[in-house]
Amino acid sequence: MYSEKVMDHFRNPRNMGEMENPDGIGRVGNPVCGDVMDLYIKVKNNIIIDAKFQTFGCGAAIAASSMVTELVKGKSIDESLEISNKAVADALG
Amino acid sequence: MRKIYLDNNATTPIHPEVIKEMGNDLEITYGNPSTLYSIGKEAKAKLEEARGRVANIIGAKSEEIVFTSGGTEANNLAIFGICKAYRNKGNHIITSKIEHDSVLNTCKALERDGFDIAYLPVDSYGMVDPEELKKAIRPDTIIISIMHSNNETGTIQPVSDMARIAKDRGIPFHTDAVQSIGKIKVNVEDLGVNLLSIASHKIYGPKGIGALYIRKGTRIQPILFGGHQEKGYRPGTENVPGIVGFGKAAEIADKNIETERLARLRDRLYNSLKEKIERIRLNGHPTRRLPNTLNVSIEFVEVEGMILALDDLGISVGTGSACATDTLEPSHVLAAMGVPPQLAHSTLRFSLGMDNTDEDIDYLIEIFPGVIERLRSFSPLY
Ligand SMILES: Cc1ncc(COP(=O)(O)O)c(C=O)c1O
């Protein structure tokens, strides 16, 4: 059902956990629907230098969260805003 | 890697003796039971032997058993079949909110055809109150269908009390006993039901075969049309290998009901997990429950993560309802019991079976708390 890449990100999520002193925090989802994601970022000179996440959700939600943190790191805020659902899905193969 | 199967309410492995008996049937008694020559008559004899074995496990007479393609078809035949026979008497059906989809969706289909359905509520243990049934009965009620035990929580309903109420009003009573057979003693005389559904693949038999018990004298119409097989209640050339396997499985299950052993393993599992994991709660009745079923909510972790992580460790467990796995809707059973949706998303069902041992439970107790700790570290809610 899940691709190897999804399973890899589920088994070994990258950048998982809370961040101390983040520059930005976002929460999406709702526990009632079964999905909540917290995303933390650290920004320097308009570049995301670190990202971390915590997710309550299915295997795909955890893998997607993990992949997003990988995708935004090193990008500018504007570039990060351009990352679409499809880009995450494509990155997870 | 150690393999531990703990989803026996979804389906059971096939008993080796059942495989042997089916193999024999496929090879030697392949005849059509409706024919007159000896290979057909042998098949007919096998069919009737199996019917007797299935009747035996519920204390019924052979002629009260109609073979179907499984639990789903047995439930469809019971409800549609009674509604067709009693159409002139009324159009009111009573069922409960926690039935299996094969009952609920049958009722919904009838609702679209103009029938009126009462879905009885349950308490926080998932139990229907017979007083609620009394209140719901109307002069035009033509069938009552309440499951014997629930597939997700294992809660056992007070079926004999409810069947008595139905009998006093002259209303046919059907019970879906798919999950109870083979796990606890079920007897149609003690229960006093008119109709009862059974599925072979929950009692170590093959898939795609089941039966409906129809008490002698019950008025019911078929829902499939064709030949004279199963006295016209279920036409079509019989699935003889399936029926033979089902019969063997019933014979074995009748002798080997393991109520105490399974309850002991299950309770040991729950008591240990409760000690090692905080914020875990039991869903279902503490005592009036199938001996093999443990349904627990483990706060702050989503169920799919638990299933995938356990699968990586060789352990198969269920979400409670296979259908909910596709839709990602929280379980209608837990919702009816008042379990909040967030907790329903964190619910896992362990259902034990004949192959499970003390060593399996020890292994699970050893590794499960670590799995939960890891998954909780992912969770923003923890
Ligand atoms: C309570 C209950 N009723 C009916 C069914 C359907 O049986 P089958 O899969 O044989 O159609 C199941 C299991 O799938 C069940 O658990």
Side-chain angles (χ1 to χ4, degrees), chain B residues 125-127 149 153-157 184 259 263 266-267 270 282-294:
Chain B
Y125 297 130
M127 194 87 104
S149 62
T153 62
T155 296
I156 301 168
Q157 302 299 331
I184 53 174
T259 308
R266 177 203 60 189
D267 293 340
Y270 180 57
L282 176 73
N283 300 305
H285 198 281
T287 55
R288 279 192 59 96
R289 188 158 48 105
L290 294 176
N292 77 320
T293 306
L294 177 62

Side-chain angles (χ1 to χ4, degrees), chain A residues 2 10-11 13 16 27 31-34 38 54-59 62, chain B residues 300-302 304-305 308-309 312 341-342 345-346 374 377-381:
Chain A
Y2 286 142
F10 166 73
R11 289 189 183 113
M16 195 278 298
R27 167 169 287 201
V32 172
C33 305
D38 282 359
Q54 283 189 303
T55 291
F56 170 84
C58 65
I62 289 169
Chain B
F300 316 121
V301 259
E302 209 271 343
E304 198 194 72
L308 295 176
D312 278 347
Q342 181 180 335
H345 284 294
S346 301
R374 191 175 112 82
S377 75
F378 297 3
S379 175
L381 307 172

Side-chain angles (χ1 to χ4, degrees), chain B residues 307-324:
Chain B
I307 291 175
L308 295 176
L310 287 171
D311 187 37
D312 278 347
L313 296 163
I315 300 172
S316 312
V317 295
T319 56
S321 107
C323 312

